[in-house]
Amino acid sequence: MSKKTDFYTPYKGPAGGWGALQSTTKHWLKSENAVRNIHTLLKTNQPHGFDCPGCAWGEKHDPAKIRFCENGAKAVNWEATSRKVDAAFMAEHSVTWLNSQSDYFLEYQGRLTEPMRYNRETDHYEAISWEQAYKQIGDTLKKQANPDTVAFYTSGRASNEAAFLYQLFARAYGTNNFPDCSNMCHEASGYALTSSIGIGKGTVEIDDFEHADAVFVFGQNPGTNHPRMLETLKEVVQRGAQLLSFNTLHERGLERFQNPQNPIEMLTNGSKPTNTGYFCPKIGGDMAVVRGMVKVLIDLEVAAQQKGEAVFDHDFIKEHTQGLDAYLEQVKQTPWQDIVDQSGLSKEDITHAANVYAKAESVILTWAMGITQHHHSVATIHEMVNLMALRGNLGKPGAGVCPVRGHSNVQGDRTMGINERPSQAFLDALEKRFNFTPPQEHGLAVVDTIRAMRDGKVGVFIALGGNFAAATPDTQATEHALKQCELTVQISTKLNRSHLITGTEAIILPCLGRTDIDHQAKGQQKVTVEDSFSMIHASGGVLEPLSKEQKSEPAIVAGIAAATLGNFPIDWHEVVSDYDLIREHIAAVVPGFHDFNQRILQDGGFYLGNSARERNWKTPAGKAICHTHTLPASILPKRAQDLLTDKTMIMQTLRSHDQYNTTIYGMNDRYRGIKGERKVVFINPADIQRLGFEEGQSVTLRSLWDDGVVRKVSGFKLVPYSIPAGNIAAYYPETNPLVPLDSHGEFSNTPTSKSIAIELEAYEENSNGISVAAI
């Protein structure tokens, strides 16, 4: 192997297995709390433990099993560290110096343990009391001429209780400005599903996977992003059902899995397949794949009718759908060549997938962010719902649609009202419960919030968790926007990039994590979360906090609210003395939460319910709506199309295996064979040759957009990989600077982080260490 590619060795093993155990052990030891964290890990996702701070995959009702995966163990050990970031640490390191460090370095420094305020004159954070922090934030909010000059950001790791208080505070203050992480990931799922089936959530329960005849997995890499899903996929294949995966890259978790909890597999070094068919469509080609499948199904239906049979579920179509005839006519008019060209798959591959679908009585279709971060994501999900409607695979056992969320409570936050476009029913319920009229005008989501900060229309930014500066698109534009603010407030567990991109004033408020015991005036508290299957369950920490200065998210929200609004519309301090009081308010406002405090006492929590699962379509027509879209001529927005050349590549951003969202646990990506490096580009070997490059060569990536702004990142090494020609992939947040702020999904406004037009340029570093790009 050449020196240029000594960071890359193709991975030969299965997902999971001994590699997962070794990685778990390494991160367990790195926490510097090894003995204590054995107990902590065993409490992960258990009925009387805490909810994993990682992904939102659900749990089967088997309390005897260990319920954490490799990446869950990383998340737990990363949070349950003994290292501290306090005022003494900040006194040693300027904000400017810290901002020059890597994202991995920043979070590795440990837990935030006391409130701090940025001193612009010294360029350091300094200790501040909670009373001073609350007063400064409250005074700043009270002097705003218009509540809409404030944005309230939410991370998907916030609990239901914290999210409900947060939205209540912001609406009592007078705004619906709720940018949140959903705007950057599954907004397309929520919009498309709501407009199709009347509810923005998946319709399946985890037990449905045990009864499905076929499962179709689109645009997701569970081996890294939600590893507990791998056991579910393996079991589907093992019992003889069909499981077809559609993903642009070959990912090991979608190929084979070795269960670390299976002694026989571990001792024999055996593994089980996680698919019965694997297809690699081009980036953004999934809509074309589904359209081709429907085109085949139309032909199968015609042939079946000639025999007096049927492929379509005509009873379901007649009783439960609207608009299917117009959609099918659009499919008939779509040329096969367009489908093949855009999908990157052959007609034979698509026909095989359609035949699998046609022969299965019960089908689950599941997807993640490989589907949701394109310009045409909503149209793609509409297409998927139409496919499922053809054979009645909505609202029956073993069947349904299943968007797999990322953050462990991103779905719950939306349920609690973290929504810049709330329903009138929700606002009316708030008014009835709290005796005030909430703001009626729609607020700002993420992209519009960045624009508003940039343009001076939003001057205060409060973040309940997350890492806004690193997670958002167009990094340079986002950082510029944040710096225009009068005040930025970060409620956080660990140091991250967002603490270093400050407004004129900046405050850090250290909060408890999922692993921490939450002591309040009336005793130890639990919070609740909602997983991807609409299960609501309790979560209680097991570790004493590192510092008495760390407060829970509900307590911090209540403190800011009291400093701003006094006791309006509730006694904020009283409700956080006992979270049962918060849950009583939730039960009175949010449908499905009756007897909330009693129902969370049962092991595994309770099912929130799903109207579409019951074939109760909460759409204007009272039926499932089959939307019709033309197959787009290009997956790119118009503003990039006119700039394309024969050297243009389409890039998608993705996570490494040592990463969860913007949190970097390490510098390796085991399943893709990367060691000690993050600035890499996965590229088809034929494209390396076609463009005149060499394996391991360093390049500059420059994105194409028509606004005249130069967006580029440099020093990325080319890695030959199994990916369709013309497509490349690279890690975020390193490549977020390439995603134009104005490149977002139609209807959803989600950044198009999975389909960016890129050109590659050779990159060299001169003898002075200054980089130069050679075209």
Side-chain angles (χ1 to χ4, degrees):
M1 183 178 296
S2 70
K3 188 174 181 180
K4 284 186 177 181
T5 55
D6 57 6
F7 58 88
Y8 170 63
T9 304
Y11 181 72
K12 303 295 185 181
W18 291 107
L21 287 181
Q22 291 170 353
S23 176
T24 297
T25 302
K26 181 186 72 173
H27 287 275
W28 169 57
L29 294 172
K30 282 173 65 177
S31 73
E32 299 179 12
N33 265 331
V35 175
R36 186 179 67 165
N37 281 358
I38 293 177
H39 170 72
T40 307
L41 286 170
L42 293 176
K43 286 291 187 179
T44 307
N45 294 321
Q46 294 292 343
H48 302 289
F50 62 91
D51 189 76
C52 178
C55 76
W57 188 252
E59 295 295 337
K60 295 176 68 175
H61 306 300
D62 184 1
K65 295 188 69 173
I66 293 174
R67 292 185 170 188
F68 63 85
C69 63
E70 175 190 351
N71 277 12
K74 292 175 185 176
V76 169
N77 284 303
W78 196 249
E79 180 175 286
T81 177
S82 63
R83 294 183 296 274
K84 299 181 180 180
V85 174
D86 53 16
F89 173 91
M90 291 298 196
E92 295 180 18
H93 306 293
S94 71
V95 166
T96 299
W97 183 84
L98 287 170
N99 199 31
S100 69
Q101 306 307 304
S102 70
D103 294 286
Y104 171 74
F105 173 89
L106 295 177
E107 292 211 26
Y108 186 73
Q109 302 314 302
R111 291 288 298 275
L112 295 160
T113 56
E114 59 184 314
M116 292 177 279
R117 177 170 57 198
Y118 180 53
N119 184 330
R120 187 164 294 276
E121 292 184 1
T122 65
D123 194 31
H124 287 263
Y125 274 100
E126 299 170 352
I128 182 176
S129 71
W130 280 102
E131 291 73 19
Q132 289 173 313
Y134 290 150
K135 185 178 187 305
Q136 181 174 346
I137 298 168
D139 288 349
T140 302
L141 292 179
K142 285 187 283 189
K143 76 176 186 180
Q144 298 300 305
N146 184 342
D148 289 333
T149 62
V150 183
F152 295 85
Y153 177 73
T154 319
S155 161
R157 282 174 60 173
S159 66
N160 288 327
E161 290 74 11
F164 185 82
L165 286 188
Y166 197 52
Q167 66 81 28
L168 177 61
F169 162 46
R171 291 192 166 105
Y173 177 69
T175 187
N176 282 317
N177 285 347
F178 288 110
D180 81 303
C181 58
S182 288
N183 302 144
M184 293 183 284
C185 55
H186 268 285
E187 194 69 54
S189 298
Y191 183 96
L193 291 177
T194 299
S195 59
S196 291
I197 62 175
I199 185 170
K201 303 180 183 184
T203 65
V204 305
E205 298 181 44
I206 194 167
D207 290 343
D208 284 318
F209 283 87
E210 298 178 3
H211 306 289
D213 299 308
V215 176
F216 287 73
V217 180
F218 278 88
Q220 62 189 115
N221 176 23
T224 288
N225 299 331
H226 24 267
R228 285 178 292 147
M229 186 180 181
L230 294 181
E231 185 173 1
T232 301
L233 300 183
K234 180 195 73 172
E235 290 172 352
V236 169
V237 175
Q238 252 184 311
R239 64 178 175 78
Q242 293 291 307
L243 197 151
L244 302 189
S245 290
F246 298 81
N247 196 68
T248 299
L249 285 80
H250 270 285
E251 301 287 12
R252 189 49 45 91
L254 290 170
E255 296 173 329
R256 300 195 68 81
F257 173 58
Q258 184 180 80
N259 188 350
Q261 297 186 47
N262 186 313
I264 294 177
E265 287 187 14
M266 295 298 287
L267 290 173
T268 62
N269 203 29
S271 62
K272 302 293 184 183
T274 51
N275 74 76
T276 60
Y278 200 126
F279 305 93
C280 291
K282 292 179 181 178
I283 288 174
D286 304 277
M287 181 180 176
V289 171
V290 177
R291 176 142 305 185
M293 289 175 62
V294 175
K295 201 170 179 69
V296 173
L297 290 172
I298 292 172
D299 291 340
L300 292 176
E301 170 66 15
V302 171
Q305 286 182 353
Q306 292 173 352
K307 301 176 183 179
E309 300 171 354
V311 172
F312 295 171
D313 186 337
H314 293 281
D315 290 340
F316 177 87
I317 291 169
K318 181 178 179 180
E319 182 178 356
H320 294 289
T321 70
Q322 181 182 90
L324 193 56
D325 288 343
Y327 165 71
L328 291 176
E329 186 59 35
Q330 180 69 53
V331 173
K332 293 175 185 177
Q333 299 303 318
T334 306
W336 262 112
Q337 193 60 52
D338 292 354
I339 291 170
V340 169
D341 289 346
Q342 189 169 115
S343 70
L345 301 184
S346 67
K347 183 178 179 180
E348 290 71 25
D349 285 340
I350 296 172
T351 299
H352 171 74
N355 280 315
V356 169
Y357 180 82
K359 293 174 183 177
E361 289 300 317
S362 298
V363 176
I364 292 173
L365 195 155
T366 175
W367 69 89
M369 288 165 61
I371 297 299
T372 63
Q373 292 186 319
H374 301 279
H375 183 65
H376 64 306
S377 289
V378 168
T380 299
I381 298 168
H382 281 158
E383 196 88 9
M384 291 175 168
V385 173
N386 295 349
L387 169 68
M388 298 296 277
L390 283 175
R391 287 182 51 78
N393 280 306
L394 297 168
K396 70 180 183 183
V401 290
C402 180
V404 180
R405 311 288 177 164
H407 269 316
S408 64
N409 199 43
V410 64
Q411 184 161 299
D413 286 352
R414 185 55 59 89
T415 301
M416 291 297 104
I418 300 297
N419 189 343
E420 78 282 359
R421 302 169 71 89
S423 70
Q424 192 59 51
F426 182 83
L427 295 179
D428 291 345
L430 280 181
E431 182 169 5
K432 181 178 179 181
R433 179 68 176 180
F434 298 107
N435 298 310
F436 78 94
T437 301
Q440 305 295 301
E441 292 186 5
H442 290 162
L444 302 177
V446 165
V447 169
D448 285 331
T449 294
I450 296 170
R451 292 183 181 127
M453 291 190 294
R454 176 197 65 192
D455 298 339
K457 296 177 181 178
V458 164
V460 179
F461 179 83
I462 302 176
L464 180 61
N467 185 359
F468 189 84
T472 45
D474 216 338
T475 305
Q476 184 176 351
T478 297
E479 292 186 355
H480 171 76
L482 284 166
K483 290 176 182 178
Q484 307 311 303
C485 288
E486 173 186 357
L487 173 66
T488 51
V489 179
Q490 306 288 337
I491 302 169
S492 310
T493 57
K494 301 187 94 174
L495 182 65
N496 65 45
R497 186 70 56 193
S498 293
H499 303 117
L500 313 175
I501 310 300
T502 71
T504 303
E505 297 284 335
I507 293 175
I508 295 173
L509 301 177
C511 69
L512 301 178
R514 292 275 176 82
T515 59
D516 299 317
I517 297 173
D518 184 352
H519 297 287
Q520 298 298 334
K522 294 184 180 179
Q524 187 172 322
Q525 304 296 316
K526 291 186 176 182
V527 295
T528 59
V529 297
E530 178 182 350
D531 65 27
S532 287
F533 303 103
S534 298
M535 290 295 298
I536 308 294
H537 45 93
S539 175
V542 297
L543 301 176
E544 287 294 336
L546 279 181
S547 167
K548 293 181 179 179
E549 290 294 299
Q550 292 170 318
K551 292 183 180 291
S552 73
E553 289 177 326
I556 294 172
V557 172
I560 297 173
T564 307
L565 303 176
N567 283 339
F568 173 77
I570 58 173
D571 185 331
W572 298 97
H573 295 304
E574 174 65 18
V575 295
V576 294
S577 69
D578 182 352
Y579 294 175
D580 280 358
L581 301 175
I582 305 174
R583 287 187 282 270
E584 288 175 3
H585 287 306
I586 293 171
V589 172
V590 185
F593 283 86
H594 58 278
D595 301 324
F596 194 178
N597 283 312
Q598 289 70 45
R599 292 162 77 195
I600 61 169
L601 298 178
Q602 56 196 42
D603 288 354
F606 65 92
Y607 179 51
L608 189 57
N610 183 289
S611 53
R613 184 178 177 84
E614 304 301 322
R615 294 187 170 176
N616 174 16
W617 318 106
K618 295 189 175 181
T619 62
K623 293 187 176 185
I625 307 301
C626 296
H627 295 271
T628 299
H629 301 275
T630 58
L631 191 68
S634 170
I635 67 163
L636 298 171
K638 174 65 176 173
R639 295 181 62 182
Q641 292 176 25
D642 295 339
L643 303 175
L644 307 185
T645 71
D646 59 355
K647 295 184 178 181
T648 300
M649 308 290 286
I650 308 301
M651 183 194 78
Q652 72 168 54
T653 67
L654 40 67
R655 301 170 179 164
S656 76
H657 194 61
D658 270 359
Q659 175 179 0
Y660 192 77
N661 290 343
T662 60
T663 299
I664 313 299
Y665 301 125
M667 302 300 288
N668 299 334
D669 190 355
R670 186 169 75 252
Y671 296 152
R672 298 190 185 106
I674 303 298
K675 186 173 183 179
E677 183 62 76
R678 286 190 56 82
K679 297 179 74 172
V680 297
V681 177
F682 299 100
I683 182 172
N684 188 296
D687 283 324
I688 295 178
Q689 183 176 10
R690 177 177 66 86
L691 296 172
F693 296 125
E694 298 178 358
E695 293 182 14
Q697 182 173 349
S698 292
V699 296
T700 290
L701 290 78
R702 179 174 54 85
S703 63
L704 306 180
W705 198 249
D706 70 354
D707 59 1
V709 176
V710 176
R711 296 177 178 88
K712 63 182 181 180
V713 294
S714 296
F716 283 67
K717 300 173 183 177
L718 297 177
V719 175
Y721 206 77
S722 180
I723 185 173
N727 292 170
I728 59 175
Y731 301 134
Y732 76 89
E734 288 85 351
T735 52
N736 281 357
L738 300 174
V739 185
L741 187 63
D742 292 335
S743 183
H744 48 72
E746 190 176 17
F747 306 112
S748 70
N749 271 1
T750 300
T752 60
S753 300
K754 292 292 186 287
S755 48
I756 299 298
I758 298 291
E759 292 202 348
L760 303 176
E761 304 165 352
Y763 169 88
E764 297 177 358
E765 191 170 82
N766 67 22
S767 59
N768 296 319
I770 301 173
S771 61
V772 293
I775 300 177

